[in-house]
Amino acid sequence: MAPFTPWIKTDLTDHSSPARDGAVPPPGDGGRITIDLDALAANWQALDARLSDDAECGAAVKADCYGLGSDEGLAALWTAGCRTFFVATPQEGVATRKRLPDATIYILNGLYPGAAAFYAGQGLRPVLGSVDEVAEWRGFVSAQSAAAAAGLHVDTGISRLGLSFDEARAVAAETASGFTPDLVMSHMACADRPDHPMNPVQLERFHAATALFPHARRSLANSAAVFLGSDYHFDVARPGITLYGASASELPQARLRPVVTLESRILQVHELTRGETIGYGATFTAPADMRVAMVAAGYADGYLRASGSTDDKRGADAWIAGYRLPILGRVSMDMSAFDVSAVPPDVACRGAFVELFGPNIPIDETAQCADTIGYELLTGLGRRFSRRYLPVRSARGES
Ligand SMILES: *Cc1c(COP(=O)(O)O)cnc(C)c1O
């Protein structure tokens, strides 16, 4: 992939040196989120290519495509070739249907009470996750004469949603009375750890449960399970996080192209003399004279408070023009401090942009520094930063 060109411009009225897509940051922007739709499309195609030949690659697009923006994300995935989409809620399903009239859309949260007609009217397929949901859907389907498709969720060990094996067997015995799932799915609890003993246990249980519904397509794999090998692929995969450029798994190959870059502006650079502290709680004391950049990104922007540092714990790094910048002290609501002592003053200067995560600082590293995962960073991105979408360039177009 082409290296990302950050802004390191200092004179914001000088538009003579545009970033790689020709855009310059509007002077009112504190920070910007760049979403590389070409990387998103390429990541979907890379996962699709990894699947067994008879398996279809779907996409988990819940939570606004993991915070990236559904309108743009769905269009890119469709262009890449994706046709089956998994969202959490019926409202997300409606938004997806509006964008993609011909898509197959499953609602992972299952059937909300009294909402069967609403789902069917939008062509949304609930993944029925309890015997109550199955009974309600069955009542709806038999009252209508029209068929409406739905999936069935069986629990194989994560103990969130889904029928037990015995419940699934009872449903299978009654399928003569009007309802047959078109998809049987289950969800992995520990697929991010390839050696975890839970993985083969869940696989075995999934084989037993899906044997009850020989006509339904089978779906087990989230992103991490795609990397467990073809035994886990079945008919439809449901990757999410890997599409969006964060890591799904301990396996290094489970990280594809970065998709999201978070950058923000330096508000000012100042000296911190040896022995002085910085930020709320005075958690960091300068061990020597330093130069500090105050950057306009705080926890209100989704830059997590737990990324900060203390005298005993290193925090997250930012990046500018080849230099890593250690964070200093706590993250505030609107700003964070970074050590720019090693960076030439004309590079780390007022108005310049630093990368908080992106191609140079992996999102997984930033997340780990805050004791969390890329999923939480992405879905928590704030609303104050402007967004720009880099278009799909290379994906095969079928739309
Ligand atoms: C979110 C979700 C996925 C996608 O998981 P990733 O780890 O992001 O690949 C798949 N299936 C279910 C049931 C989910 O809730």
Side-chain angles (χ1 to χ4, degrees), residues 24-244:
V24 292
D29 281 11
R32 184 161 74 167
I33 303 167
T34 300
I35 294 138
D36 185 348
L37 297 174
D38 193 58
L40 172 59
N43 288 348
W44 183 86
Q45 290 177 346
L47 285 173
D48 186 43
R50 205 166 238 290
L51 294 179
S52 340
D53 285 347
D54 45 357
E56 176 189 351
C57 193
V61 294
K62 58 203 185 186
D64 206 24
C65 283
Y66 288 41
L68 274 64
S70 303
D71 282 352
E72 296 81 1
L74 290 171
L77 288 165
W78 184 270
T79 300
C82 186
R83 296 293 176 265
T84 300
F85 297 83
F86 295 86
V87 295
T89 72
Q91 292 299 359
E92 291 175 347
V94 169
T96 305
R97 172 61 68 221
K98 200 173 280 174
R99 186 80 208 173
L100 301 176
D102 299 322
T104 299
I105 303 169
Y106 288 99
I107 312 296
L108 292 168
N109 278 7
L111 177 61
Y112 288 7
F118 177 78
Y119 286 58
Q122 294 279 336
L124 306 176
R125 306 182 184 192
V127 183
L128 304 171
S130 68
V131 289
D132 289 345
E133 292 178 29
V134 172
E136 186 172 331
W137 188 257
R138 191 177 261 152
F140 168 74
V141 171
S142 56
Q144 305 280 314
S145 34
L152 186 73
H153 199 147
V154 293
D155 179 42
T156 53
I158 196 171
S159 305
R160 299 195 315 188
L161 305 178
L163 282 69
S164 69
F165 180 80
D166 288 342
E167 290 170 336
R169 188 164 47 195
V171 168
E174 295 162 21
T175 49
S177 63
F179 162 68
T180 324
D182 72 335
L183 181 87
V184 175
M185 64 156 262
S186 191
H187 195 45
M188 302 287 292
C190 306
D192 57 323
R193 293 163 64 192
D195 297 329
H196 201 289
M198 191 88 160
N199 297 331
V201 170
Q202 287 198 261
L203 181 63
E204 210 46 51
R205 290 176 178 166
F206 190 62
H207 275 292
T210 52
L212 299 168
F213 302 94
H215 301 298
R217 297 208 297 166
R218 300 160 299 167
S219 177
L220 181 61
N222 57 359
S223 299
V226 169
F227 294 90
L228 294 180
S230 58
D231 287 354
Y232 290 82
H233 293 170
F234 293 96
D235 302 308
V236 185
R238 317 183 299 270
I241 195 71
T242 301
L243 299 172
Y244 308 112

Side-chain angles (χ1 to χ4, degrees), residues 9 16 80 100 111 115 123 161 237 299 339 393:
K9 290 172 55 56
S16 64
L100 301 176
L111 177 61
L161 305 178
Y299 58 79
D339 179 5
R393 284 169 281 136

